[in-house]
Amino acid sequence: MKRILVTGGAGFIGSHLCERLINEGNEVICLDNYFTGSKSNVVHLINNPFFELIRHDVTHPYFVEVDEIYNLACPASPVHYQFNPIKTIKTSVMGAINMLGLAKRIKARILQASTSEVYGDPLIHPQPEAYWGNVNPIGIRSCYDEGKRCAESLFLNYHRQNSVDIKVIRIFNTYGPRMHPNDGRVVSNFIVQALKGQPITIFGDGSQTRSFQYVDDLVEGMMRMMQTPKAFTGPINIGNPNEFSMMELAREVIDITGSRSEIIHLPLPEDDPTQRQPDIALAKERLNGWEPKVQLREGLEKTISYFDNLLKSQP
Ligand code: NAD
Ligand code: UDP
């Protein structure tokens, strides 16, 4: 049994990770400031004596004895990370410094949840890890993109300078149950709109693409990455290479829900990447044959069923 710290553990991805780690017989300390996460995401774990839930902000130091740290604390949706951009940068940068300092002191292995956003609006397609990216350093997405890029730099430098045992994964768009219904990300937006019979809001003409990964595939990939040999630090892409335009996604959601929602077009946000697809050759090679198993239709069906129950339970 390992003792494992998960920052951002009450969020969408973090709650699935905590659940898997507990189910595999580990002791989990879940740390969160509940900015975008909630206790309800982990309420089913709270009575487990091997699960601890702690309210804490990663911009402040935190000390605990653990074997492994998964650093996920950071708002992930543009609406939330742009709400207080300075705080977003602090969360990524000071959060990384605090957690790396802890890992150094207690000699724990630490994994950083980085993002495909480090590639910005990519000029190379699909994106391999060796690509340095095309990020606007002063635009409205930069609080997130540059915060995450700086965190990657901190991770690699703590490794080179202090031999901290690090792992960096670059997560591509991930969806599934427990996404925040109002967080503004495209999958949750389209599903909630379709279920409520409201217009489906496509930003721009809907030709921009993303490659959507179901949360279970990500959790499997990140746990495998945590078990790789010390010499392998990453960064490594974890995503599903099947790429869809936002128009295709909207049609798929309408088809599965049987919704009568109309599609409307709203202005495309500034610096919105036009295309994104992970090159996952490295992950397949280094993560013991890992590859995504849940394709879009199946993943959407599970996610739609979650939101359907959630909306029915809310007055
Ligand atoms: P989320 O918003 O549901 O989860 C983030 C969690 O971090 C929330 O529980 C939030 O309350 C917590 N948090 C935020 N700031 C904090 C702070 N200062 N101190 C402590 N806790 C804090 O988002 P998610 O989709 O679960 O993302 C989890 C991680 O994965 C993030 O680091 C995100 O950048 C990364 N990621 C996610 C995606 C995706 O598509 N979902 C893609 C790339 C990277
Ligand atoms: N998007 C959209 N309608 C929405 C929300 C998002 O068309 O209601 C678009 C958005 O402009 C982007 C894509 O969907 O091109 C993915 O957006 P999301 O915020 O989910 O992720 P990110 O842009 O960070 O990859």
Side-chain angles (χ1 to χ4, degrees):
M1 178 188 269
K2 284 182 186 149
R3 191 179 306 141
I4 301 171
L5 176 65
V6 179
T7 77
F12 155 54
I13 295 171
S15 64
H16 288 273
L17 176 65
C18 289
E19 191 176 300
R20 264 291 297 275
L21 292 170
I22 285 280
N23 287 344
E24 297 199 358
N26 298 290
E27 191 176 339
V28 170
I29 299 167
C30 168
L31 189 150
D32 209 294
N33 72 349
Y34 307 119
F35 173 44
T36 50
S38 72
K39 286 184 187 171
S40 57
N41 284 340
V42 287
V43 71
H44 57 297
L45 302 175
I46 283 173
N47 284 333
N48 188 314
F50 298 105
F51 181 77
E52 282 174 74
L53 184 56
I54 291 160
R55 182 187 292 266
H56 181 82
D57 191 307
V58 291
T59 58
H60 300 290
Y62 180 75
F63 297 105
V64 67
E65 292 280 333
V66 290
D67 304 296
E68 293 175 351
I69 304 168
Y70 287 87
N71 188 37
L72 274 64
C74 185
S77 109
V79 172
H80 285 143
Y81 71 63
Q82 287 165 19
F83 173 74
N84 183 346
I86 297 170
K87 175 69 194 238
T88 300
I89 299 174
K90 285 185 182 173
T91 295
S92 273
V93 176
M94 294 164 68
I97 291 172
N98 288 330
M99 288 305 134
L100 284 160
L102 175 64
K104 177 183 163 190
R105 177 169 160 171
I106 61 175
K107 296 195 169 30
R109 176 169 280 197
I110 179 166
L111 179 144
Q112 168 68 357
S114 189
T115 169
S116 54
E117 300 285 343
V118 300
Y119 301 123
D121 193 0
L123 304 176
I124 288 185
H125 195 76
Q127 295 82 53
E129 291 82 355
Y131 178 48
W132 290 358
N134 178 38
V135 172
N136 175 355
I138 56 171
I140 55 168
R141 294 175 80 101
S142 68
C143 58
Y144 184 73
D145 302 4
E146 296 292 8
K148 289 283 185 180
R149 286 169 68 97
C150 183
E152 284 201 11
S153 173
L154 283 162
F155 267 71
L156 270 296
N157 282 305
Y158 267 77
H159 175 69
R160 284 187 285 255
Q161 196 174 330
N162 298 129
S163 303
V164 175
D165 189 359
I166 64 142
K167 306 283 169 193
V168 177
I169 60 168
R170 291 182 178 155
I171 302 170
F172 282 66
N173 295 64
T174 302
Y175 69 99
R178 300 197 205 120
M179 291 182 91
H180 197 295
N182 301 323
D183 83 354
R185 279 185 276 190
V186 68
V187 174
S188 44
N189 265 12
F190 285 4
I191 291 177
V192 171
Q193 290 162 345
L195 290 174
K196 287 185 170 172
Q198 295 168 345
I200 301 219
T201 54
I202 289 191
F203 299 165
D205 64 5
S207 63
Q208 73 271 33
T209 68
R210 295 292 186 273
S211 304
F212 296 103
Q213 161 174 245
Y214 189 66
V215 64
D216 289 357
D217 286 328
L218 166 64
V219 169
E220 179 65 30
M222 67 204 291
M223 287 173 62
R224 287 193 193 197
M225 179 62 175
M226 191 57 123
Q227 305 319 323
T228 53
K230 181 170 180 180
F232 183 60
T233 60
I236 191 167
N237 291 338
I238 306 206
N240 186 326
N242 284 344
E243 187 181 354
F244 297 87
S245 70
M246 294 313 103
M247 186 58 86
E248 287 171 324
L249 177 70
R251 293 211 175 102
E252 195 76 0
V253 170
I254 289 174
D255 188 43
I256 301 172
T257 53
S259 172
R260 292 194 188 167
S261 291
E262 55 167 342
I263 289 178
I264 60 166
H265 292 267
L266 297 178
L268 190 66
E270 194 183 314
D271 293 336
D272 199 276
T274 45
Q275 55 178 3
R276 186 180 293 151
Q277 187 197 102
D279 178 333
I280 58 165
L282 186 65
K284 283 184 175 169
E285 181 196 329
R286 302 303 297 251
L287 303 183
N288 215 4
W290 171 88
E291 61 182 341
K293 294 212 164 22
V294 183
Q295 295 312 337
L296 188 66
R297 185 144 188 123
E298 184 191 348
L300 281 180
E301 283 168 357
K302 292 181 185 189
T303 313
I304 287 167
S305 148
Y306 166 80
F307 277 112
D308 199 22
N309 288 330
L310 185 79
L311 295 180
K312 280 181 185 144
S313 70
Q314 288 172 350

